[in-house]
Amino acid sequence: MDANSAPLRISVAAMLSPEASFVMYKELAEYIGKRLDRPVKIIFKKTYAETNDSLKNSESDMAFICTGAYIAAKNVFPLDIIAVPVVNGKMTYNSVIVVPKNSPVHALSDLKGKTFAFTDEFSLTGNLYVKVKLSELGQNSSGFFGETFFTGSHDNSIKAVSQGFADAACVDSLIYEALLKAGDLYAKRLRIIEKSPPFGIPPLVARVGLSSGIKDKLRIILLGMHKNKEGTRILRALSVEWFAVPPPGLYSYAEKVLGKR
């Protein structure tokens, strides 16, 4: 099999549960494959660490990874950003701490001794930001919270709080807002008590070894998606307006925050 007929392998990290992710990314893969004239295979990974490893070991050619995972990866091995999503006219998002609407909790400090849900070890919005925030207060998560656990995805964290398995969780603001817009019953039962400053939005990255020709074609395909009906429909399903090239310094604040760990 020559390089042009081999499947282009795109890993998707667990920002959403696999069931939700499969539907969302299947059509995107077909869209890219049709325009590349090459099969595209979506590979779902349980954790951001597994996704990073798949890029490092050349088991994947590209990946949708969270901002925290991107920063962790690029400090170990080289990556190229192909494009970033634009949502609500912005290339940024936030970590939000959510609690049930009837909860007496109004701030992070009120959660001492409570049960808290994180998403993934490498997730900036679903884990790392809150731990950095606690460290600034002279606390650590194991000593501050009564109990913590990882859910594996942002929608699962939202469900955990809504169903009473956790008192609070930190999640990706874009996913929380998209679920609210879609009328998700779990998200509608919650409210935000704290919101982080804006971080650069999770990018679509490629391993350095992928040919520059393929990367250029992929960039052209993604940057032009919003200009046709099929592309617009798929973007809407992904809750994305369009893809863009990130400006310099988009991830500087995230790097600064994570440098405090």
Side-chain angles (χ1 to χ4, degrees), residues 15-90:
M15 293 185 194
L16 284 169
S17 58
E19 296 83 3
S21 295
F22 177 79
V23 175
M24 292 173 63
Y25 288 100
K26 180 176 180 290
E27 288 191 327
L28 177 61
E30 292 172 351
Y31 180 92
I32 293 172
K34 189 187 305 180
R35 283 154 181 79
L36 272 182
D37 193 25
R38 175 176 178 172
V40 174
K41 180 181 180 182
I42 296 290
I43 303 168
F44 292 103
K45 296 295 185 180
K46 291 181 180 179
T47 67
Y48 295 136
E50 288 181 5
T51 302
N52 283 6
D53 286 344
S54 73
L55 286 166
K56 182 181 179 182
N57 300 328
S58 298
E59 295 168 2
S60 296
D61 301 302
M62 299 168 54
F64 285 93
I65 56 176
C66 83
T67 300
Y70 164 65
I71 291 169
K74 79 183 188 69
N75 288 333
V76 178
F77 60 96
L79 286 172
D80 290 329
I81 294 180
I82 299 299
V84 298
V86 176
V87 182
N88 299 324
K90 299 182 295 185

Side-chain angles (χ1 to χ4, degrees), residues 20-200:
S21 295
F22 177 79
V23 175
M24 292 173 63
Y25 288 100
K26 180 176 180 290
E27 288 191 327
L28 177 61
E30 292 172 351
Y31 180 92
I32 293 172
K34 189 187 305 180
R35 283 154 181 79
L36 272 182
D37 193 25
R38 175 176 178 172
V40 174
K41 180 181 180 182
I42 296 290
I43 303 168
F44 292 103
K45 296 295 185 180
K46 291 181 180 179
T47 67
Y48 295 136
E50 288 181 5
T51 302
N52 283 6
D53 286 344
S54 73
L55 286 166
K56 182 181 179 182
N57 300 328
S58 298
E59 295 168 2
S60 296
D61 301 302
M62 299 168 54
F64 285 93
I65 56 176
C66 83
T67 300
Y70 164 65
I71 291 169
K74 79 183 188 69
N75 288 333
V76 178
F77 60 96
L79 286 172
D80 290 329
I81 294 180
I82 299 299
V84 298
V86 176
V87 182
N88 299 324
K90 299 182 295 185
M91 295 186 208
T92 58
Y93 73 139
N94 312 81
S95 174
V96 293
I97 300 176
V98 293
V99 299
K101 283 186 174 179
N102 62 356
S103 171
V105 170
H106 294 284
L108 175 60
S109 57
D110 297 332
L111 289 168
K112 186 171 179 61
K114 303 292 187 181
T115 299
F116 198 88
F118 295 110
T119 59
D120 183 277
E121 182 183 357
F122 280 169
S123 175
L124 175 58
T125 56
N127 177 35
L128 300 174
Y129 174 73
V130 164
K131 289 182 176 177
V132 169
K133 187 79 173 175
L134 285 173
S135 71
E136 291 174 349
L137 300 173
Q139 302 280 349
N140 61 69
S141 60
S142 60
F144 181 78
F145 297 119
E147 183 182 349
T148 63
F149 60 93
F150 287 97
T151 65
S153 67
H154 294 279
D155 55 337
N156 280 341
S157 288
I158 287 168
K159 287 180 183 178
V161 179
S162 181
Q163 294 179 319
F165 295 112
D167 297 300
C170 52
V171 297
D172 179 324
S173 63
L174 299 178
I175 291 175
Y176 178 64
E177 289 162 8
L179 290 172
L180 281 178
K181 187 175 181 180
D184 181 80
L185 294 178
Y186 298 111
K188 288 171 68 174
R189 295 172 185 162
L190 308 181
R191 60 181 171 84
I192 296 172
I193 61 165
E194 288 201 20
K195 185 177 184 178
S196 76
F199 297 113

